[in-house]
Amino acid sequence: MHHPGVSYEGKSVSRAARDPLWSRVFLIAGALVFLGVLLVLPLATVFVEALRKGLGAALETFANPDARYAIWLTLLVAGISVPLNLVFGLAASWAVTKHDFRGKSLLLTLIDLPFSVSPVISGLFLILVFGVNGWFGPMLNSLGLQIIFAVPGIVLATVFITFPFVARELIPAMESMGREEEQAAVILGASGWQILRRVTLPNVRWALLYGVLLCNARAMGEFGAVSVVSGHIRGETNTVPLHVEILYNEYNFVAAFAMASVLAILALLTLVAKTMLEWRIQRLQQQVVLERTRHRDPALVGPQP
Amino acid sequence: MSLAALNISKHFGKTTALDNVSLEVKSGQLVALLGPSGSGKTTLLRIMAGLDFPDADCGARLLFHGRDVMDLPARKRKVGMVFQHYALFRNMNVFDNVAFGMTVAKRSERPSKAEMAARVEELLAKVHLSGYEGRMPHQLSGGQRQRVALARAVALRPEILLLDEPFGALDAKVRKELRKWLRAFQEEEKLTTVFVTHDQEEALELADEVVVMNNARVEQSGSPQEVYDHPASPFVIEFMGNVNLLLRGRKKPGTQPTSLYVRPHDIEICQYVSGHTLEARVLHVFSAGSVGRVTLEYLETGEMLEAEVPRSEVDAMKLTAGQLVGLRFRHTRVFAKKDQQRQELVEVPYQHPGDAPQAEPAS
């Protein structure tokens, strides 16, 4: 991040305004050590441990049907919950930013609820509602539907946990866009759907993509809530994070870390994509600033070259 | 197409935005809604466009050519609107912005690609932006964006055009040029136009009729000349331009206090004091320009006055600070409270000293 005018290399900053050398070295070194111990080292350990007995041993993990099933289940759960939350998030942020209604602040608070509630509690809550002894348990049982300790429960837990990601990214983006463009479109005869597709979405597409990315990363990595509702049945209700835990508890370290590196690689890819998106969004914002400054340019009336 | 908005009231929570406002615009006329910010003028415009709605129980009606359109949603009212900040679609180029209304029309009403292109070309030529089809909004200057917004607003051939502070974000020079151009455009297209502004000069210069709004109400409406020459209330006088205010009879018990308004160019300065003039002292003379601006002290009360007199008179009388002069008011407006209890103001006659047998009624 560059701050105009506060460049440390630049001579524009007076000596007095600078921190002394020792303090800068101390702060930067401190930050690096912190990052190294808490972030880089654990991440490296994952890969090192996975490859301890060679690449072949690590790859063998993925020959196991339970491991393959866990990966497939994780993709399935993410594949269901991300699109669902894309729609929910879009609807919620559209409602919150483009309309005024009673209970708007309540809705905003509710959107954030999954962030503030411990995932374990969310899982327990689902058991309370859909479990065999829960509110809807007997009814679901008589219909032959199983939600808890089955895939639907895992999907529900994941949807709940990842609900805020898309909405949280979209709300500020839509807010900064204002409502005038949509109003102009209405007056020109556009329907709600046409406005969403042609005016609103193109303007927030990067924020939307960013939200989907974060939502996906969390959907694939969620442990707590999924752990409570899954029942840990191998080959049936084990997602990748749950499978890692089981393998680890069985002292099968190579397999555990090999599975974990799948998640780690996913995290790294997400990070790269996120950085690229941020860079892109920043450029768009600079363009907006540029636009605002140009706003004051004198314009000439009459034919122009 | 004529337009009438009748009995419009609008509350936002406890604040009153519009208090039983009525407005009629004849076909092809250009009407200015003039008022300070917060006077309700933009709300009224938005209600006409269908972006806001009046209170449910006020019996409001909105007639386009005699037909009540209040229940029609904004997208079916077929008005053109230009927003204060233009609201161009930032993700579309100039062509797509102007063509937007045609592209979202029902398939049966949608013009062919060639017709669309021809219409856009015609409109861009009218707003002097031919060749700008491929530009994005952020590549245009403020005045150019304003004209794109106007072309977009009239692309579907509306008969009613609504403009919200159309020149607000432009600098003075561009604003003046665009004003003339807009008037010509409006007349050529025979558009019934309502535009909102807080600039009285703009309203007087552009409009066929000026509607002055204040505190959610219409203070006065009429032709620019009527409103300027015969302002109906102290608010209108003060809003329509520089004016001097003399308070009279405040300190004398038993007399009715009045407010006397006189515009700087309605003050005549005489070199000698007589029975027909008021006595004043020159405080300052500013005469760089075609008119001389003279600051005066009215000796009877010590109030300050500003007068505008032709340069030739300033030079002929050799006006200098400290000089004693006589004043005559060519045109004044005097307001007094209707009675002691109520705040309502009525106009009372004013007679200049020496002009009539009896003395001034108020002092």
Side-chain angles (χ1 to χ4, degrees), chain A residues 14 17 19 37 44 47 59 92 114 128 135 146 148 153 160 203 211 235 255 260 263 266 272 277:
Chain A
S14 75
D19 289 325
V37 172
F47 293 109
L59 288 178
L128 188 72
W135 300 344
Q146 197 185 358
I148 300 304
F160 179 82
N203 279 325
L263 285 176
L266 175 81
V272 170
L277 274 178

Side-chain angles (χ1 to χ4, degrees), chain B residues 129 159 308:
Chain B
L129 284 172
E159 289 173 74
E308 279 173 17

Side-chain angles (χ1 to χ4, degrees), chain B residues 15-53:
Chain B
T15 41
T16 308
L18 291 169
D19 183 9
N20 198 22
V21 168
S22 293
L23 170 80
E24 285 183 55
V25 187
K26 291 193 202 86
S27 189
Q29 263 200 337
L30 197 155
V31 167
L33 290 180
L34 175 66
S37 53
S39 57
K41 54 195 194 309
T42 295
T43 307
L44 182 57
L45 195 80
R46 291 172 59 85
I47 286 175
M48 292 185 211
L51 297 173
D52 261 321
F53 296 92

Side-chain angles (χ1 to χ4, degrees), chain A residues 291 295, chain B residues 86 88 137-138 140-149:
Chain A
E291 221 173 288
H295 212 72
Chain B
Y86 322 130
L88 294 181
H138 68 84
L140 301 175
S141 71
Q144 290 169 337
R145 283 182 212 182
Q146 215 263 353
R147 286 176 283 148
V148 173

